[in-house]
Amino acid sequence: MTAIKHALQRDIFTPNDERLLGIVNVCKAGKKKKNCFLCATVSTERPVQVKVVKVKKSDKGDFYKRQQTWELRDLTEVDAKDASKENPEFDLHFEKVYRWLASSTAEKNSFISCIWKLNQRYLRKKVEFVNVSSQLLEELPKAEESVPSGESQSVAGGDEDALDDYQELSTREEQDIEGMMEMCEYAISNAEAFAEQLSRELQVLDGANIQSIMASEKQVNILMQLLDEALGEVDTIEGKLSSYEEMLQSVKEQMDQISQSNRLIQISNTNNVKLLDEIQFLVNYMDLSKGHVRALQEGDLTSPKGIEACINASEALLQCMNVALRPGHDKLMAVTQQQLLFAELRDTFARRLTNHLNNVFVHQGHDQSSTLVQHTAEMSLPKHSPLHRDLLRYAKLMEWLKNTHREKYEGLSRTYVDYMSRLYEREIKDFFEVAKIKMAGTTKEAKGKFATLPRKESALKQETESLHGSSGKLTGSTSSLNKLTVQGSNSRRSQSSSLLDMGNMSASDLDVADRTKFDKIFEQVLSELEPLCLAEQDFISKFFKLQQHPTVTPPLAQPETEEADGSMPSRMPPQAEHRHSMSSEKDIVRLMMNKIFQSIETELNSLIALGDKIDSFNSLYMLVKMSHHVWTAENVDPASYLSTTLGNVLVTVKRNFDKCISGQIRQMEEVKISKKSKVGILLFVTAFEEFAELAETIFRNAERRGDLDKAYVKLIRAVFVNVEKVANESQKTPRDVVMMENFHHIFSTLSRLKISCLEAERREAKHKYTDHLQSYVINSLGQPLEKLNHFFEGVEARVAQGVREEEVSYQLAFNKQELRKVIKEYPGKEVKKGLDNLYKKVDKHLCEEESLLQVVWHSMQDEFIRQYKHFEDLIGRCYPGSGITMDFTIQDMLEYFSSIAQSH
């Protein structure tokens, strides 16, 4: 092992400036034995680096090489496995656990002892040793006594300090040793003899040294005397030092007292600074100026300057009340008194502000009534912008009241809603009364009478209810409306009250100017209501500060309803109140608007009912106008009161529109025709044409075109069904004529109006018209040449039964003589006479409105020529070479038809 150690030191560690202090021959535990050496080394240069190096013998030669190196500072634990029994296994814990099996237990213990000493000296006991005997962790383990001197020559065999101080021989020392060995001939050949010689010389030198020391006894005594004197001086100096120490001790006590005093002074100063800071904080944040106090107690709430002063004072008061007090402030009497003062000022100012705004609301609610008659006579609603402008000056004060006195804020909200709802109710009712009178076309005298009559006369209510029934209550002077209803049986408006009245009423009798007037009045009503509602909603949002964050719903937003027995409803349960309190402020605004304008929806429905009663066509105008205003309101704010209300009214308008369409279809189904007169163009066909023309004009740029398209489809299908029904029931006019004329009229109407959703019905109408025209022509032409038709029908029947065409002439009933006999019965003069009678008959069948006589006559001419050519063809095929021909030619027929048409 010694030779291996020297070889490793020379070949591996000396070139790297390292010293080998411990070595052990190991192999990995549990695997096939591949021996290697673990070496403990230190560097020769400062700072010292301690390493554990794994060295392996090369397979290709007799030399060693480094395989792996670990820093000793990375070693965390050394596990010897068993402290009481001999066990060659041990573990080293670096970044992972390495398990080793030493060649002997002694080598393992020596290596672990070396690691322990290096750990004690360089790592300050950082490494943890587990299962290691305490005897092993000593300077000279007893276990190493049995180890051969050559194998234990390492750090484990001697003192760590001696090993640490080991140095190689200098050059001079080497030269002296070489000189001494040269003087002895057997220094190399007989080392023991050389050693004995050196020992003897050393003993001689030691004896000389002892004799020299004994010869110097006198000097030793002198030295001892000097040492005694020195000790005396030391005692003297120690006495002085003790006195000095006592003096310093008293000074130290005095300095400690001074330091204690300074510390107390510093604490006092710190406390004074903190106290001053607290006082300044309270003075700065809880002190209200006299001017603010005066403004809160006596400030003028009518002038702009006074309002501004009150706003500043209220904000300062709120800031003082909301200041975040530090711990302990609430126990100070001054703070408590100041808080009581602030609470008193808050209550006083809140009471003054509430009383003032209540008076303003009441005054404005009563003062506006003087201008109602003037505005309603002009059919316009009073503008409330001056009121809103005056009240918005108090918006910041309302926000302050909302944050400080919730009850008073809610009370003001209820008061405002109460008075404004009364004001708006009067204005809106008067406005709608004027609108209804203008719609009904009352005279100027009636308007003047309206301006002077009392509002709530029972007679007026009875007149209104007689006009509208249950559709809604109208107030004001409406006697002219009743007159209109009484006289309506002979007027144009009563004629249009039902779009498809089959009696003497027709939509075409209405004056377009009247409908335009209604459209303008209805549009003006909506145009007046829209800015009124938007302005009021904007004012409520700004004045009551309901546009930013969710808050508690004021009681005013809860609709006041009564139970069936007239008693007030019970208080809402806590759960319902909690859900209500989570409503957004937009919902609160909408609820306030619902109460303020609670009469708008009722009045609009009443106005719509009146318009629908005056003229069912008005539902078209109202649907378009209402749809446009709903679309506009939804674009501004889909959740606004205006959008919701107009949407509800739009449902009513759409329902009236659908009811009008259903009524028209029902009237079509109930139509009755006269048995004595020809049918002509049916009234509901003409009515559909007028409806479509008017609807296309009204819905040209409308948003709800889909509603009209659906109505078109329903109406046209009903028209088709009932035209066919009337044609089947007609006795005076042939069925084909009824179908042909009416479907021609429908086709012309749809082609002219170009209604895209009815394109399929347009093609169907054309098809029906063409089919029935052809059927009528064929049926009518069978009469002028009746016997000739029957003869050739028999010929065609024989051919169809299998008789050859050239053999038909041999049939008794269809021989040439019979053919000549039949042809002689229809000379040109008779044919012309028959055609003339046919023309007269067709003229009686057809109506003048459609002007289809010439069309039918031309079709008959074409069909007659086709039949003539067909007869000539049958004569040529069935009677070849007979020379039999008709008594008239095609040219003769054309002259007959032309002359007959010109003569009539």
Side-chain angles (χ1 to χ4, degrees):
M1 182 62 73
T2 304
I4 294 174
K5 177 182 177 185
H6 286 299
L8 294 177
Q9 177 67 53
R10 180 184 67 249
D11 298 337
I12 295 178
F13 298 114
T14 300
N16 293 327
D17 297 329
E18 293 177 316
R19 290 162 46 202
L20 176 60
L21 302 182
I23 185 171
V24 60
N25 185 8
V26 296
C27 63
K28 288 188 177 180
K31 295 187 178 180
K32 186 177 180 181
K33 293 186 177 181
K34 291 183 179 180
N35 291 338
C36 57
F37 298 97
L38 289 180
C39 305
T41 65
V42 295
S43 61
T44 58
E45 297 179 355
R46 301 282 181 175
V48 177
Q49 295 183 359
V50 186
K51 300 180 181 178
V52 176
V53 182
K54 178 183 177 183
V55 178
K56 184 179 179 182
K57 189 173 184 180
S58 176
D59 297 334
K60 298 181 179 180
D62 193 12
F63 62 92
Y64 298 92
K65 63 179 180 180
R66 284 176 181 256
Q67 189 174 17
Q68 195 169 358
T69 304
W70 299 275
E71 294 286 345
L72 190 62
R73 64 173 177 267
D74 296 335
L75 181 63
T76 59
E77 182 179 321
V78 176
D79 187 358
K81 297 297 184 180
D82 198 337
S84 59
K85 297 181 181 180
E86 291 187 358
N87 187 352
E89 294 183 2
F90 66 98
D91 295 343
L92 299 181
H93 295 246
F94 288 101
E95 74 280 0
K96 65 178 183 178
V97 179
Y98 293 89
R99 305 183 186 279
W100 304 103
L101 180 64
S103 59
S104 66
T105 305
E107 283 189 24
K108 181 190 82 169
N109 294 338
S110 177
F111 183 75
I112 290 176
S113 178
C114 179
I115 294 296
W116 179 77
K117 291 179 180 181
L118 293 174
N119 175 50
Q120 294 291 320
R121 182 168 183 82
Y122 296 107
L123 301 182
R124 299 179 182 178
K125 303 180 182 179
K126 177 182 177 182
V127 182
E128 183 178 357
F129 291 82
V130 181
N131 298 323
V132 179
S133 174
S134 59
Q135 296 177 356
L136 185 64
L137 302 181
E138 294 179 355
E139 191 169 346
L140 290 174
K142 295 180 180 180
E144 294 181 5
E145 294 178 359
S146 62
V147 180
S149 60
E151 296 181 0
S152 61
Q153 191 175 356
S154 65
V155 177
D159 186 67
E160 168 62 22
D161 294 336
L163 286 173
D164 189 54
D165 296 338
Y166 167 80
Q167 293 182 358
E168 295 183 2
L169 295 177
S170 63
T171 304
R172 183 175 177 180
E173 290 174 343
E174 290 180 357
Q175 291 175 357
D176 292 341
I177 292 174
E178 289 176 356
M180 183 176 60
M181 293 177 69
E182 288 176 356
M183 292 173 61
C184 183
E185 296 179 355
Y186 50 83
I188 297 177
S189 59
N190 191 351
E192 293 181 357
F194 181 66
E196 290 179 0
Q197 181 181 348
L198 292 177
S199 177
R200 286 193 299 271
E201 292 178 358
L202 180 61
Q203 290 176 359
V204 173
L205 291 175
D206 287 341
N209 287 335
I210 292 173
Q211 291 176 1
S212 176
I213 291 173
M214 293 176 65
S216 60
E217 183 178 0
K218 182 178 180 180
Q219 284 80 1
V220 172
N221 292 330
I222 296 172
L223 178 61
M224 293 299 293
Q225 184 179 358
L226 292 174
L227 289 175
D228 292 337
E229 293 177 358
L231 290 173
E233 290 294 331
V234 168
D235 292 337
T236 304
I237 292 173
E238 286 182 352
K240 291 182 178 181
L241 289 176
S242 297
S243 63
Y244 292 156
E245 185 177 0
E246 293 177 358
M247 296 173 62
L248 290 174
Q249 184 66 29
S250 63
V251 172
K252 178 179 178 300
E253 293 176 357
Q254 294 177 4
M255 293 302 296
D256 290 342
Q257 293 178 358
I258 293 173
S259 175
Q260 182 69 20
S261 300
N262 290 337
R263 186 164 56 253
L264 294 175
I265 293 172
Q266 185 176 3
I267 293 173
S268 177
N269 290 336
T270 303
N271 291 337
N272 290 334
V273 170
K274 290 183 178 179
L275 179 60
L276 180 61
D277 180 61
E278 296 294 333
I279 293 174
Q280 288 178 345
F281 172 81
L282 295 175
V283 171
N284 291 337
Y285 292 102
M286 293 198 66
D287 185 27
L288 198 63
S289 67
K290 294 182 179 179
H292 288 336
V293 173
R294 187 164 50 253
L296 293 172
Q297 292 177 341
E298 304 173 357
D300 186 7
L301 290 173
T302 57
S303 64
K305 290 184 178 180
I307 294 174
E308 184 67 24
C310 291
I311 290 173
N312 296 333
S314 63
E315 291 176 350
L317 176 62
L318 183 62
Q319 185 177 2
C320 291
M321 296 185 69
N322 292 338
V323 66
L325 295 176
R326 298 172 183 174
H329 284 178
D330 54 344
K331 297 180 180 180
L332 297 177
M333 182 178 295
V335 173
T336 305
Q337 292 177 352
Q338 198 74 353
Q339 288 177 336
L340 293 175
L341 175 62
F342 292 157
E344 184 179 355
L345 289 173
R346 178 196 62 192
D347 296 340
T348 301
F349 182 68
R351 187 166 51 253
R352 291 182 59 242
L353 177 63
T354 303
N355 293 337
H356 177 74
L357 290 179
N358 273 329
N359 294 334
V360 172
F361 296 157
V362 174
H363 173 72
Q364 291 291 345
H366 290 296
D367 188 54
Q368 289 283 337
S369 60
S370 61
T371 62
L372 294 181
V373 175
Q374 176 184 356
H375 283 282
T376 52
E378 299 173 357
M379 185 138 180
S380 63
L381 286 166
K383 305 301 179 186
H384 294 175
S385 53
L387 169 62
H388 293 165
R389 186 172 55 253
D390 292 341
L391 289 177
L392 281 177
R393 297 181 302 173
Y394 302 96
K396 291 185 177 179
L397 293 177
M398 284 298 296
E399 183 178 11
W400 175 86
L401 193 63
K402 179 181 179 181
N403 295 328
T404 57
H405 258 288
R406 191 73 189 186
E407 294 181 359
K408 292 187 180 298
Y409 167 81
E410 293 172 355
L412 275 177
S413 303
R414 287 192 295 269
T415 302
Y416 177 81
V417 169
D418 184 41
Y419 280 95
M420 293 308 294
S421 62
R422 298 177 190 176
L423 175 61
Y424 278 118
E425 184 177 6
R426 292 195 303 270
E427 294 176 353
I428 290 171
K429 283 188 177 181
D430 291 343
F431 174 71
F432 274 93
E433 286 169 358
V434 174
K436 292 167 188 174
I437 292 175
K438 287 184 178 292
M439 281 185 181
T442 55
T443 61
K444 294 182 180 179
E445 292 77 7
K447 296 179 185 178
K449 181 181 179 182
F450 158 75
T452 57
L453 283 176
R455 178 182 309 277
K456 297 184 178 179
E457 289 185 6
S458 59
L460 299 183
K461 290 185 178 180
Q462 293 174 359
E463 292 173 356
T464 303
E465 292 173 358
S466 67
L467 175 62
H468 292 286
S470 61
S471 61
K473 293 183 178 181
L474 306 181
T475 57
S477 175
T478 55
S479 59
S480 58
L481 301 185
N482 289 326
K483 293 178 182 178
L484 173 68
T485 306
V486 173
Q487 299 170 356
S489 59
N490 299 322
S491 67
R492 292 173 299 172
R493 294 186 182 277
S494 63
Q495 292 174 358
S496 66
S497 62
S498 176
L499 178 60
L500 297 174
D501 190 345
M502 295 307 154
N504 59 354
M505 298 181 184
S506 173
S508 61
D509 294 333
L510 282 173
D511 189 359
V512 177
D514 290 338
R515 291 176 182 160
T516 305
K517 177 182 177 183
F518 172 83
D519 185 33
K520 290 181 179 179
I521 293 173
F522 193 74
E523 171 63 23
Q524 187 175 359
V525 169
L526 296 179
S527 299
E528 288 288 328
L529 290 176
E530 184 172 345
L532 182 72
C533 294
L534 291 177
E536 184 63 30
Q537 180 168 331
D538 181 63
F539 167 75
I540 289 175
S541 299
K542 292 179 180 178
F543 183 71
F544 292 100
K545 296 298 178 182
L546 295 174
Q547 65 223 19
Q548 297 172 356
H549 306 289
T551 184
V552 179
T553 304
L556 61 94
Q558 303 172 3
E560 297 178 5
T561 57
E562 294 187 0
E563 302 293 342
D565 58 356
S567 61
M568 294 304 295
S570 60
R571 183 179 178 85
M572 294 177 63
Q575 296 84 355
E577 289 183 350
H578 177 68
R579 290 194 299 269
H580 216 46
S581 66
M582 298 305 291
S583 301
S584 66
E585 294 194 346
K586 285 188 176 181
D587 295 333
I588 299 172
V589 173
R590 188 166 61 252
L591 291 173
M592 294 177 69
M593 292 288 291
N594 282 334
K595 187 167 184 181
I596 291 176
F597 293 106
Q598 56 188 347
S599 61
I600 282 185
E601 187 170 344
T602 303
E603 293 293 339
L604 274 174
N605 288 331
S606 176
L607 187 69
I608 289 167
L610 174 61
D612 191 58
K613 188 175 184 64
I614 291 174
D615 183 359
S616 59
F617 274 172
N618 288 337
S619 61
L620 278 71
Y621 289 101
M622 290 187 287
L623 182 61
V624 172
K625 295 298 181 183
M626 190 62 70
S627 299
H628 174 71
H629 283 272
V630 169
W631 179 79
T632 305
E634 287 181 347
N635 285 341
V636 175
D637 183 4
S640 66
Y641 164 79
L642 181 65
S643 175
T644 305
T645 302
L646 293 183
N648 295 338
V649 176
L650 178 60
V651 173
T652 303
V653 174
K654 178 61 169 60
R655 191 179 296 117
N656 289 346
F657 176 75
D658 294 339
K659 191 185 300 181
C660 174
I661 300 300
S662 301
Q664 295 169 19
I665 295 174
R666 185 172 60 255
Q667 290 175 5
M668 292 181 194
E669 296 170 350
E670 297 173 354
V671 65
K672 301 296 181 182
I673 59 173
S674 174
K675 298 180 180 180
K676 297 181 180 181
S677 60
K678 60 183 177 181
V679 176
I681 303 301
L682 295 170
L683 291 178
F684 59 77
V685 174
T686 307
F688 174 78
E689 177 185 10
E690 295 175 358
F691 173 82
E693 289 176 348
L694 181 61
E696 287 301 308
T697 303
I698 297 173
F699 281 81
R700 183 173 291 113
N701 298 315
E703 287 81 6
R704 294 181 69 96
R705 176 76 193 190
D707 295 332
L708 179 62
D709 291 343
K710 293 177 182 177
Y712 273 150
V713 173
K714 291 180 181 179
L715 285 175
I716 197 66
R717 298 317 306 177
V719 169
F720 279 17
V721 171
N722 287 283
V723 166
E724 191 163 353
K725 174 186 173 184
V726 171
N728 293 332
E729 296 175 354
S730 174
Q731 298 179 1
K732 184 71 174 177
T733 307
R735 178 180 185 276
D736 289 330
V737 173
V738 176
M739 298 287 286
M740 172 184 64
E741 289 182 329
N742 284 278
F743 279 106
H744 177 267
H745 190 87
I746 295 171
F747 169 70
S748 301
T749 300
L750 297 181
S751 299
R752 175 167 50 84
L753 296 178
K754 298 179 180 179
I755 303 173
S756 58
C757 67
L758 298 181
E759 183 61 27
E761 284 75 8
R762 185 186 71 85
R763 291 193 296 268
E764 183 180 353
K766 181 180 179 181
H767 179 70
K768 288 180 179 291
Y769 154 68
T770 305
D771 288 349
H772 288 284
L773 171 62
Q774 189 68 21
S775 175
Y776 177 67
V777 169
I778 292 173
N779 293 333
S780 298
L781 281 178
Q783 298 172 1
L785 305 176
E786 184 175 3
K787 293 182 179 180
L788 195 60
N789 275 325
H790 290 325
F791 182 84
F792 282 109
E793 285 176 359
V795 171
E796 290 177 339
R798 292 295 186 275
V799 173
Q801 292 172 1
V803 179
R804 296 175 60 184
E805 292 181 347
E806 58 271 14
E807 296 179 357
V808 172
S809 60
Y810 297 107
Q811 298 285 327
L812 182 62
F814 301 102
N815 57 25
K816 297 177 183 179
Q817 290 76 15
E818 292 295 328
L819 176 60
R820 289 190 181 97
K821 186 186 300 184
V822 173
I823 290 177
K824 284 183 180 180
E825 293 183 9
Y826 294 101
K829 184 181 296 184
E830 289 296 327
V831 170
K832 182 178 181 181
K833 182 178 179 181
L835 290 175
D836 187 60
N837 293 332
L838 177 62
Y839 185 90
K840 293 177 181 178
K841 190 170 186 178
V842 170
D843 188 22
K844 291 180 180 179
H845 289 164
L846 300 179
C847 65
E848 297 179 358
E849 291 89 342
E850 281 302 292
S851 301
L852 289 178
L853 178 59
Q854 295 303 321
V855 176
V856 174
W857 189 244
H858 189 271
S859 297
M860 286 185 170
Q861 175 183 302
D862 295 340
E863 180 63 23
F864 199 89
I865 293 173
R866 188 191 64 78
Q867 289 186 12
Y868 179 86
K869 290 180 179 180
H870 180 61
F871 295 159
E872 289 285 341
D873 180 61
L874 286 176
I875 292 173
R877 288 189 286 112
C878 298
Y879 304 93
S882 63
I884 300 175
T885 59
M886 304 289 285
D887 287 347
F888 53 91
T889 63
I890 292 178
Q891 186 62 34
D892 294 335
M893 285 190 299
L894 293 175
E895 291 178 0
Y896 297 159
F897 276 97
S898 177
S899 62
I900 292 172
Q902 291 176 3
S903 64
H904 291 82

